[in-house]
Amino acid sequence: MKLSEVLIKPILTEKANAQQESLRRFAFKVARKANKLEIKKAIESFYGVTVVDVNTAVIPGKNKTRFTKAGFIKGQKPAYKKALVTVAEGETIDLYGAV
């Protein structure tokens, strides 16, 4: 798998931001087939930081229903793989760089 295909996007939530500040842990949505070694290589090459630890979790899809004029619409959000990456002491990833 190419390194450009491993990372999909960073996860920017309140919980993820709190972990960035306190634990130096950054959350990313990654490809389902990517393993921890590929994720570590991709983060180190794209962001230029030293990765200490990589934890992964597969988040299952959730059922969603919505009531409209036409009645109930049922659907399902897709499942995805999440990687929690811990960087070395004193290093950080600038996710808001070119905003």
Side-chain angles (χ1 to χ4, degrees):
M1 179 174 272
K2 295 181 198 172
L3 291 181
S4 61
E5 297 173 352
V6 173
L7 298 177
I8 297 173
K9 67 178 185 177
I11 298 174
L12 303 173
T13 60
E14 289 183 20
K15 185 175 182 179
N17 288 338
Q19 288 184 349
Q20 288 174 14
E21 296 165 2
S22 62
L23 302 173
R24 302 179 325 275
R25 186 177 293 159
F26 296 85
F28 291 91
K29 187 183 265 192
V30 295
R32 291 284 299 266
K33 293 183 178 182
N35 60 28
K36 292 182 180 185
L37 296 175
E38 292 172 338
I39 294 168
K40 181 178 179 179
K41 280 185 194 175
I43 296 289
E44 287 178 345
S45 67
F46 288 132
Y47 293 106
V49 295
T50 305
V51 174
V52 176
D53 191 26
V54 177
N55 297 357
T56 59
V58 176
I59 309 301
K62 294 182 179 180
N63 291 325
K64 295 289 182 181
T65 58
R66 184 174 45 198
F67 185 72
T68 64
K69 289 180 182 179
F72 278 105
I73 296 176
K74 292 183 181 179
Q76 187 169 10
K77 295 191 79 168
Y80 64 95
K81 189 172 193 175
K82 176 169 68 171
L84 297 169
V85 179
T86 306
V87 298
E89 184 75 37
E91 294 186 357
T92 185
I93 297 175
D94 186 18
L95 299 175
Y96 302 104
V99 174

